[in-house]
Amino acid sequence: MGTGQKPGGNGDREAFLATRRFPEAIKHKHPHWPLYAVLSGALVAHAPAQELMAMAHNAPLMRAARPSRGKRVSRPLFQGGAALAVQPAQAHAPAINPGGVVPLYGSVGYIQAGEWISIFGTNLAGGTAEWTGNFPTSLGGIQVEIDGRPAYLSYVSPTQINAQAPDDSALGPVSVKVITAGGTATSSVTLMPYSPSFDLLDGVHVAAIILRSNGAGMYGGGAYDILGPTGQCLGYGTVAAQPGDVVEIYGVGFGTTNPVVHSGQPFAGAAPITNGIALYINGVELTPTFVGLSGPGQYQINVAIPPGLGEGDVPIEAVIGGLSTQKNALFSLGGVGSAGPAACVVTGDGDGGDGDGGTIGDGGDGGTIGDGGDGGDGGDGGDGGDGDGGDGGDGGDGGDGGDGGDGGDGA
């Protein structure tokens, strides 16, 4: 079982915190980016002293944190510090979906005090509003109460609210209220000592980074890569982990820490958990070097990848207090010296190119995966005689090829 010991206890590593500006491209392309990267648009890195100091470029070891939140809706997490954007609508009575109070990125009906959660329903707000990092208990005119205590709201919309649950020593079923101008929606959720849930990039791949001590990473001035299938299939560059890589994995709901970190206020540091976890990648139990909070409600798991775990997108699971993270979560592993089967394949719909001119033109090929693109037009027939139309382009796997173009009339 992995423990919550502070990183650096092995004598050849020290725990250092450094903030790195989060890549602008990811902010706007990926709506589900995890809380760890939103500490002032930064990540918390654990690396050897000399490596991390070089990465930080003389930056302070700790800065004030400004956490954000993950969402299932297709909106960027970051608004560049912009003010709240509210789109008012006529007030209607709100309702919370059955089982609609869940951990961030999770689906179970229990949460942990201080955990980032999502509430799903209808008429939860008259429009949309985003926090400015100030842990408001009222956002866009909306309030949420859990066990009679105000929650801290980061995002509200008609169908989804994201919030940090308040501190609470109670366990068992408690009330959940969403208070709007149109009325109050009431539901319940079970408070548990743990409610583990990985942050996810695309609904399945865990949110994690690979530290790059050689400065060859794609992000953070070379400090790190984002874990995922090697390539651009998530809309930005990701890399599968290799044996020997040090990976930081992010999630919520992994229990109490020492020191205690209270909800509703900024935090930047390292607060180890007080109970051990079991971490499994592809069915193999690994021992993390650190598990704890690195931001408000945001946990970080540091682990070195050993050889022999396999290749490709493999299952990852963490267990604490008998409770498990999502069963569908995936961890991308590459082969030694190559991307391995976790290499990315573009999944978009591709249009076929135009056929070449001449006697018979061939249509272009469709996309790689998903619906095949339309085949290109056949080339014009040659002079003197009717030219046959070109063949339609081949559709991507599972897709149909486009129709061939008409041949040109002979002169």
Side-chain angles (χ1 to χ4, degrees), residues 149-178:
R149 303 163 187 255
Y152 305 95
L153 309 182
S154 64
Y155 172 79
V156 299
S157 76
T159 59
Q160 179 176 344
I161 294 174
N162 287 342
Q164 187 182 24
D167 292 339
D168 197 336
S169 60
L171 295 176
V174 297
S175 64
V176 178
K177 294 182 179 180
V178 175

Side-chain angles (χ1 to χ4, degrees), residues 79-96:
Q79 300 298 326
L84 303 179
V86 180
Q87 302 164 356
Q90 182 178 356
H92 297 283
I96 300 173

Side-chain angles (χ1 to χ4, degrees), residues 1-5 112 193-198 247-257 271-281 284-293 299-303 316-325:
M1 298 280 282
T3 67
Q5 65 180 351
Q112 173 189 313
Y194 315 98
S195 179
S197 179
F198 288 127
V247 178
E248 297 177 0
I249 307 165
Y250 299 90
V252 296
F254 287 94
T256 57
T257 63
I273 61 174
T274 56
N275 292 292
I277 72 167
L279 177 67
Y280 301 92
I281 297 179
V284 178
E285 184 172 3
L286 304 181
T287 301
T289 58
F290 172 78
V291 183
L293 287 170
Y299 293 80
Q300 175 176 318
I301 302 171
N302 294 355
V303 64
I316 179 172
E317 181 182 19
V319 181
I320 184 167
L323 301 175
S324 300
T325 51

Side-chain angles (χ1 to χ4, degrees), residues 46-127:
H46 161 219
Q50 68 275 16
E51 297 171 4
L52 194 54
M53 293 304 291
M55 295 177 193
H57 301 295
N58 299 318
L61 290 181
M62 289 194 293
R63 295 179 186 167
R66 185 178 71 82
S68 183
R69 67 283 160 271
K71 305 197 293 292
R72 291 185 184 179
V73 294
S74 296
R75 292 173 51 82
L77 282 177
F78 298 88
Q79 300 298 326
L84 303 179
V86 180
Q87 302 164 356
Q90 182 178 356
H92 297 283
I96 300 173
N97 292 346
V101 183
V102 296
L104 195 70
Y105 302 103
S107 59
V108 296
Y110 50 85
I111 64 171
Q112 173 189 313
E115 184 171 23
W116 288 97
I117 67 170
S118 293
I119 301 172
F120 296 94
T122 56
N123 302 318
L124 299 179

Side-chain angles (χ1 to χ4, degrees), residues 19-24 27 33-44 63-68 78 224:
T19 53
R20 304 297 304 172
R21 187 65 190 166
F22 192 62
E24 292 291 333
K27 292 182 191 178
W33 192 251
L35 298 178
Y36 86 88
V38 308
L39 307 175
S40 297
L43 63 90
V44 178
R63 295 179 186 167
R66 185 178 71 82
S68 183
F78 298 88
Y224 65 99

Side-chain angles (χ1 to χ4, degrees), residues 203-225:
V204 290
H205 291 93
V206 292
I209 62 168
I210 307 170
L211 299 181
R212 299 301 187 197
S213 60
N214 60 1
M218 284 188 280
Y219 303 105
Y224 65 99
D225 283 314

